[in-house]
Amino acid sequence: MPPPLQTAAPRPAAPAGLAWGSSPADHRWRGNARTLERDLAAAVEGEVRFDAAHRAMYAVDASNYRQPPIGVVFPRAAEDVERAVAVCRHHGAPVLGRGGGTSLAGQCVNHAVVFDYSRHMHRVLEVDPARRLARVEPGCVLDALRQRVERDHGLTFSADPATHTHCTLGGMIGNNSCGAHSVMAGRTSDNVHALEVLTYDGLRFSAGAVAEDELARLAGVPGRLGEIHRRLRDLRDRHGDEIRRRYPDIPRRVSGYNLDDLLPERGFHLGRALTGSEGTLVTVLEATLRLVPWPPHQALLVVGYEDAYAAADHVPDLLELSPLALEGMDERLIDDQRKKRMHPEELALLPDGGGWLLVELGGATRDEAVGRAEAAAERLRGRRHVAGARVFAEPAEQLRIWEVRESGLGATARVPGQGDTWEGWEDSAVPPERLGDYLRDLRRLLERFGYRGALYGHFGQGCVHTRNDFDLFSREGVEKYLAYVDQAADLVVSYGGSLSGEHGDGQSRGALLPKMFGDELCGAFREMKAIFDPGNRMNPGKIVDPYPIDSNLRFGESYRAWEPATAFRYVDDDGRFSRAALRCVGVGKCRRETGGTMCPSYRATREEMHSTRGRAHLLHEMLVGEIVADGWRSREVKEALDLCLACKGCKADCPVDVDVATYKAEFLSHYYRRRLRPPAAYSMGLVHEWARIAARAPRLVNLLGRTPGLSHLAKALAGIDRRRELPRFATRTFRRWFERERPAAPRLGRGAAETARADRPRVLFFPDTFSDFLHPDGAIATVRVLEAAGYEVAIPAKRLCCGRPLYDYGFLGRARHRLAEIVDELAPAIDAGVPMVVAEPSCAATFRDELPMMLPDDPRAARLAQQTRTLAEQLADTDGYQPPRRSGRALYHGHCHHKAVMRTGADEELLRAAGLHLDAPVTGCCGLAGSFGFERGHYEVSIACGEQMLLPAVRGTAPDDLVIADGFSCRTQIEATTGRRPLHLAEVLAGRS
């Protein structure tokens, strides 16, 4: 068990000008959490969670800060919020509204009752296309709104951060988010029509634009509503001239409260004034948002420049094109992605240069959009500082280029061979026409302090993103960081800019606000806070009277994470599990609702605990030992990992390569040490042993498995859900077929190596447990296809198993033994460089992924990993191979491990080369995931995962269409739920239908 740990370091003295108000602030609530939890549970219909797991998961966001909450409430409706706030008010407990939890300035962590709206309050309530308005709940995901209004009405919500697939509109309102397309129609605040809000003292009202005569009427209304309007009018009148003088006239001013929206010339728009207040003034119950026309066609112009500074200098010229988006990237961002092997095909599409601008242009027709882009490219080619220009007309290619830009944060967070980078000064903004000079000065400042960081962002609006390699683990490092942000704030203010151009102030920049706004306006911010929240119970310590920048840090000089001994060697994390568990940067891509594979159990449950981020944060908190204090025996971590399908979707989709499947296997190996595992661990984790026994009398075993009573008893004893059919064992194993049909074929192994025929290259086919005992048809077809391609096919001399099912139950000692046995047995083939083809994707992934981590000191393991191939990969490297011609349509589903570790591009190309019209590959998970969907207690989630994408797609195919799936679990789930019998790729190439 790790020792308890205090992560907050003693605060060094801040440089002059870094603190204002009552700092150092102490806003901790000291009431009775147990009584508060009881009263909340009695008052609301939604869930109330004050347990250690939820307090740990919600203690951090995407920022450098950590503040464990009092507890978490998941309201089901606005009335739930009202009742919950009333209970908190009775107890004097602070509250904090939270959306996607992706904030970078620390504004969505606090010692408060957190209201998570994303689980239940996520509906689009109404769309009024005639008035171009949409009414949404605060937990509504941005893309859910955009996809609906773009598809049905040709409209969009223009503010779209890179997290658009999973950020919530309530969170965007809290932060005043912007994004790539804000250049069209402004920040979130510019697109707020009205907000339904709730104050801490219980006033619920609609905040929108108020004409002066209506303002006078409201100011005379008795009670809190009149008081608020009256005091706001007085605040505006007293500070109006200073607001006009001090607020920078730039498109990306996000810092501070929006007092300028209270000015008469701005229409006293209270909804917009409350936007960007980060939950410190009111709780948003509902929002009515302005929509803008979205052109039906887009073209993307990418212009390469000598460097990012020259690119920024040209921003004003390109703004004359009225672009939908105008983004910038420097060569360091691209270099970081190359080092991480991210988007290699996409990076190859970029024109030459050391800095790039992405210019998106729209049109009523495709020709119009592409024509505008081509004309602009032609004008730019040959101009000074322009290295190249390229137009992307196809939507699919445009999306691939956008992925390069949108993955900027993850791409720069942890780069091999470089120090980790952190936020802290990541979204300053200046007038777009001054951006080039600002970038040069910012780079000089970074170099003076010895910091590294890529520069990219929303260049069309002068907003710059960067992550820097700050040392936040030592006193000296934190002092240096404070000195840097002090000078960086002076720099951006000297350019007439804003401390924040998108991410808000929170705790990262709250103490810097006097540099930008002066004492009078900071006093006005404090006054506005007092008007809405006189008791300072709404997200205290953020923006107004903020916590010092260096308090509540996740790390600090006293940070010491537990360093346990592990079964895996985490070679990409300095061999430390603590560093692996710290990979998650909190951007929450695992919470997206469509696209990719990660994270199927979150999509099924909408619970943070079952997201990649939630699991990673819990594992890190386990190592911290403060909230999750039982180490490897933690029930909280065990519960969170229980619904992990070990699909490895996170390994491929997560921008920082969080690998929960590996972490789960590691945890379970320790959790069950000297403990009895559940029945499924022995029935399915040891499937290789049971399969060898069943192979002696497969017909009898299959009969018993289908006999009522006996099958139910067998399932109960094995821990298998009663609704699942027991797998059928093949009446003739693959190995028996091979020995009978290929008696002269070579067997490879120690003492059994043979010389290959001179006229035929040799491949080794590895018959895994599933392909050998359960579904041999795919393995048999694989051998036939390889022979037809000109290979001599050998198999191992003895029966071997890679141990894939063992990982799901933490049998890592057994798994290592299995792999060591394989490496020893196949040593001659490994030394001879014989490629090894594996038909089952999960087993191929074990050789490519787990093998080097389990045997990192054995060079043969690394070579075998490199020699392991899928059938498609082997055929793609076979000179002259042409697949047999097929016709018709096919739905191809790649196994999750295949997509994550090997990728499926070779398979898709092969099928298209065969003449099949291949439907867009299904990106979701089948939900069975090896043994997961068989286990008692997992059935509903398993089916829900499959129904997200794969199973409806299969049901939508025509009877003559082929359904192709290589994975044993994928084929089993499809056949059990749709009645279709999928084919292995090899069966398709061998002519099966």
Side-chain angles (χ1 to χ4, degrees):
M1 175 176 146
L5 178 68
Q6 284 288 344
T7 59
R11 294 191 299 271
L18 282 192
W20 65 287
S22 57
S23 300
D26 184 3
H27 303 289
R28 289 173 293 178
W29 178 72
R30 293 174 173 81
N32 189 314
R34 189 179 299 274
T35 304
L36 174 60
E37 178 186 13
R38 180 200 64 200
D39 292 350
L40 282 169
V44 304
E45 294 181 6
E47 301 85 359
V48 176
R49 300 285 185 261
F50 278 47
D51 56 278
H54 283 82
R55 293 186 63 241
M57 287 185 294
Y58 287 78
V60 293
D61 52 6
S63 73
N64 298 326
Y65 297 99
R66 177 181 179 273
Q67 289 180 277
I70 301 167
V72 186
V73 175
F74 300 90
R76 290 188 177 273
E79 292 69 28
D80 247 5
V81 181
E82 289 188 271
R83 289 189 291 265
V85 169
V87 171
C88 292
R89 183 169 65 248
H90 175 74
H91 288 270
V95 299
L96 164 61
R98 173 163 157 150
T102 61
S103 293
L104 288 150
Q107 57 265 63
C108 68
V109 294
N110 214 327
H111 183 66
V113 176
V114 172
F115 287 64
D116 185 339
Y117 299 107
S118 65
R119 187 169 186 198
H120 300 302
M121 295 180 63
H122 53 72
R123 296 178 298 165
V124 177
L125 299 171
E126 180 186 6
V127 175
D128 184 344
R131 298 175 63 204
R132 293 180 179 171
L133 297 175
R135 191 163 57 90
V136 300
E137 291 180 312
C140 177
V141 169
L142 171 60
D143 268 6
L145 171 65
R146 293 173 69 210
Q147 289 165 6
R148 176 171 166 180
V149 298
E150 288 175 12
R151 178 191 67 231
D152 296 343
H153 308 294
L155 301 171
T156 195
F157 187 74
S158 66
D160 62 335
T163 54
H164 55 84
T165 60
H166 51 281
C167 68
T168 68
L169 286 155
M172 292 176 62
I173 290 166
N175 281 4
N176 199 7
S177 299
C178 303
H181 292 98
S182 292
V183 72
M184 290 172 56
R187 306 161 296 173
T188 294
S189 60
D190 299 317
N191 294 281
V192 165
H193 180 76
L195 301 178
E196 185 80 9
V197 300
L198 177 71
T199 63
Y200 187 79
D201 55 14
L203 176 66
R204 180 176 176 175
F205 69 100
S206 179
V210 181
E212 287 298 304
D213 55 347
E214 177 65 8
L215 177 59
R217 186 192 69 79
L218 287 171
V221 171
R224 274 288 279 150
L225 184 63
E227 177 194 356
I228 287 173
H229 285 84
R230 185 167 57 254
R231 292 178 64 184
L232 286 175
R233 182 184 61 181
D234 178 62
L235 180 153
R236 175 201 70 181
D237 292 344
R238 284 185 288 108
H239 299 290
D241 289 342
E242 186 71 355
I243 293 170
R244 296 180 182 93
R245 188 176 73 86
R246 293 297 296 253
Y247 272 60
D249 184 19
I250 60 174
R252 282 297 188 96
R253 195 276 309 155
V254 171
S255 281
Y257 289 149
N258 293 341
L259 299 182
D260 54 336
D261 279 308
L262 299 178
L263 296 172
E265 59 266 33
R266 302 289 291 270
F268 195 91
H269 201 302
L270 185 51
R272 295 179 180 177
L274 292 171
T275 301
S277 56
E278 300 179 1
T280 62
L281 302 178
V282 296
T283 292
V284 176
L285 303 175
E286 187 181 294
T288 303
L289 304 172
R290 182 173 73 105
L291 305 174
V292 296
W294 179 245
H297 298 275
Q298 302 85 42
L300 183 62
L301 166 63
V302 182
V303 188
Y305 292 87
E306 292 177 359
D307 53 40
Y309 317 115
D313 290 337
H314 281 77
V315 162
D317 294 340
L318 293 172
L319 283 173
E320 295 178 1
L321 299 173
S322 300
L324 305 176
L326 179 49
E327 301 288 287
M329 306 183 297
D330 76 351
E331 63 181 346
R332 298 192 187 201
L333 175 63
I334 302 306
D335 185 54
D336 286 349
Q337 297 196 34
R338 288 195 176 106
K339 289 178 179 176
K340 295 180 74 169
R341 301 184 182 90
M342 295 176 67
H343 315 303
E345 297 175 355
E346 289 75 12
L347 296 182
L349 297 174
L350 296 176
D352 292 339
W356 294 266
L357 292 180
L358 280 61
V359 190
E360 187 177 54
L361 299 168
T365 65
R366 180 183 183 279
D367 289 345
E368 180 187 352
V370 174
R372 292 184 63 202
E374 291 285 8
E378 187 61 32
R379 288 198 302 271
L380 289 167
R381 291 187 182 104
R383 288 183 59 178
R384 187 183 178 194
H385 304 302
V386 174
R390 183 171 181 183
V391 173
F392 297 90
E394 297 303 321
E397 278 194 328
Q398 294 174 38
L399 287 173
R400 292 169 66 188
I401 298 299
W402 278 118
E403 182 66 22
V404 173
R405 163 60 191 90
E406 291 178 353
S407 61
L409 190 156
T412 59
R414 183 176 287 192
V415 181
Q418 298 171 185
D420 293 348
T421 60
W422 310 95
E423 54 278 355
W425 188 258
E426 78 292 334
D427 77 322
S428 54
V430 298
E433 63 273 13
R434 303 191 67 188
L435 179 61
D437 289 338
Y438 173 67
L439 290 181
R440 294 178 178 94
D441 283 344
L442 180 61
R443 176 63 72 196
R444 281 191 282 266
L445 180 63
L446 285 166
E447 291 174 350
R448 190 157 66 245
F449 275 83
Y451 289 140
R452 181 192 182 280
L455 300 175
Y456 60 97
H458 312 292
F459 281 19
Q461 292 191 302
C463 182
V464 183
H465 292 322
T466 183
R467 287 176 64 94
N468 308 119
D469 52 343
F470 304 127
D471 170 14
L472 301 178
F473 294 83
S474 70
R475 176 184 292 271
E476 296 76 13
V478 172
E479 288 177 340
K480 179 181 174 182
Y481 161 66
L482 291 174
Y484 168 75
V485 297
D486 184 51
Q487 294 186 36
D490 290 337
L491 176 64
V492 76
V493 169
S494 74
Y495 271 86
S498 176
L499 309 177
S500 172
E502 181 159 33
H503 299 154
D505 299 317
Q507 189 172 343
S508 289
R509 287 171 282 276
L512 298 167
L513 290 174
K515 289 177 172 288
M516 178 176 171
F517 291 103
D519 292 340
E520 179 183 336
L521 289 185
C522 286
F525 295 161
R526 188 179 292 109
E527 185 178 348
M528 187 171 184
K529 168 77 168 172
I531 291 172
F532 285 96
D533 180 31
N536 194 23
R537 298 289 81 188
M538 300 291 296
N539 201 14
K542 309 301 164 80
I543 301 182
V544 169
D545 294 332
Y547 290 102
I549 292 174
D550 58 321
S551 65
N552 302 317
L553 288 173
R554 293 181 68 182
F555 311 114
E557 65 177 303
S558 64
Y559 174 80
R560 297 292 184 276
W562 179 40
E563 297 289 359
T566 58
F568 286 104
R569 182 82 62 82
Y570 297 91
V571 293
D572 292 332
D573 295 293
D574 300 332
R576 294 185 290 129
F577 184 68
S578 65
R579 193 164 186 267
L582 196 56
R583 273 186 171 271
C584 178
V585 295
V587 296
K589 189 177 180 181
C590 48
R591 288 169 52 98
R592 64 183 178 179
E593 298 176 350
T594 59
T597 301
M598 172 181 73
C599 179
S601 50
Y602 170 77
R603 294 180 184 180
T605 65
R606 298 185 73 95
E607 286 200 52
E608 179 75 11
M609 175 180 284
H610 300 305
S611 69
T612 299
R613 181 178 71 179
R615 291 168 179 139
H617 284 170
L618 273 174
L619 283 163
H620 179 248
E621 288 289 334
M622 178 192 81
L623 300 177
V624 169
E626 178 186 321
I627 304 174
V628 180
D630 295 328
W632 290 125
R633 295 299 173 93
S634 167
R635 290 170 296 174
E636 295 85 4
V637 176
K638 172 64 167 58
E639 180 185 0
L641 294 174
D642 181 61
L643 292 188
C644 169
L645 286 77
C647 67
K648 293 184 181 285
C650 50
K651 186 177 180 70
D653 293 351
C654 174
V656 287
D657 305 320
V658 170
D659 185 3
V660 175
T662 297
Y663 307 162
K664 176 182 179 179
E666 182 74 64
F667 176 83
L668 291 179
S669 73
H670 299 277
Y671 181 85
Y672 284 121
R673 189 181 182 192
R674 299 192 182 95
R675 280 182 171 180
L676 192 66
R677 286 170 167 82
Y682 303 103
S683 64
M684 290 180 282
L686 306 181
V687 64
H688 180 68
E689 285 78 2
W690 295 115
R692 295 184 68 169
I693 296 171
R696 297 172 184 171
R699 289 183 174 85
L700 176 60
V701 173
N702 291 337
L703 177 63
L704 294 176
R706 296 299 185 274
T707 302
L710 289 177
S711 66
H712 291 172
L713 177 62
K715 292 175 190 176
L717 293 174
I720 295 175
D721 190 279
R722 59 180 176 79
R723 289 161 287 189
R724 288 291 184 187
E725 291 290 332
L726 293 173
R728 291 178 180 269
F729 290 93
T731 56
R732 181 176 63 169
T733 67
F734 164 79
R735 183 173 282 271
R736 187 172 299 169
W737 170 87
F738 191 87
E739 290 170 347
R740 180 171 298 176
E741 299 292 328
R742 305 289 190 276
R747 315 296 194 265
L748 299 185
R750 288 206 173 271
E754 298 182 13
T755 304
R757 288 168 47 178
D759 60 332
R760 304 185 74 189
R762 174 175 291 176
V763 297
L764 172 65
F765 177 70
F766 186 87
D768 59 88
T769 298
F770 306 105
S771 300
D772 192 2
F773 296 104
L774 293 160
H775 279 187
D777 290 349
I780 293 169
T782 300
V783 170
R784 288 175 171 158
V785 170
L786 287 169
E787 289 175 338
Y791 289 102
E792 179 186 49
V793 180
I795 65 171
K798 62 184 291 188
R799 194 163 249 144
L800 301 169
C801 175
C802 71
R804 174 64 255 170
L806 297 172
Y807 296 90
D808 296 336
Y809 302 100
F811 286 117
L812 296 188
R814 286 174 177 259
R816 183 184 292 106
H817 175 77
R818 292 269 181 85
L819 292 174
E821 180 186 24
I822 290 172
V823 169
D824 285 341
E825 179 66 20
L826 299 183
I830 296 171
D831 293 340
V834 178
M836 183 173 74
V837 174
V838 185
E840 170 59 38
S842 62
C843 297
T846 299
F847 287 115
R848 295 267 279 264
D849 192 26
E850 278 87 1
L851 174 60
M853 289 195 291
M854 293 293 274
L855 302 175
D857 299 322
D858 191 333
R860 299 173 303 173
R863 292 202 299 273
L864 182 56
Q866 295 171 354
Q867 290 167 217
T868 299
R869 316 297 300 279
T870 66
L871 174 62
E873 288 174 334
Q874 186 63 33
L875 295 176
D877 287 344
T878 302
D879 290 339
Y881 177 76
Q882 292 294 326
R885 297 296 297 174
R886 300 293 303 258
S887 61
R889 302 179 66 90
L891 175 70
Y892 171 74
H893 174 74
H895 187 286
C896 293
H897 290 185
H898 195 160
K899 291 180 285 193
V901 178
M902 290 85 69
R903 312 297 182 181
T904 59
D907 301 71
E908 296 163 31
E909 290 179 15
L910 193 60
L911 290 166
R912 291 191 177 98
L916 288 168
H917 181 88
L918 197 64
D919 286 348
V922 176
T923 56
C925 177
C926 75
L928 193 63
S931 60
F932 175 87
F934 282 102
E935 291 180 30
R936 190 163 49 238
H938 289 171
Y939 182 81
E940 286 79 8
V941 171
S942 171
I943 296 299
C945 291
E947 293 292 351
Q948 290 165 9
M949 188 170 295
L950 172 61
L951 301 181
V954 172
R955 295 189 193 102
T957 58
D960 293 337
D961 292 349
L962 297 180
V963 177
I964 305 169
D966 286 1
F968 166 77
S969 55
C970 306
R971 293 196 300 272
T972 301
Q973 181 85 312
I974 291 170
E975 193 164 359
T977 55
T978 70
R980 293 295 301 270
R981 184 193 179 281
L983 299 176
H984 191 282
L985 169 69
E987 294 181 277
V988 176
L989 298 178
R992 291 283 300 274
S993 299

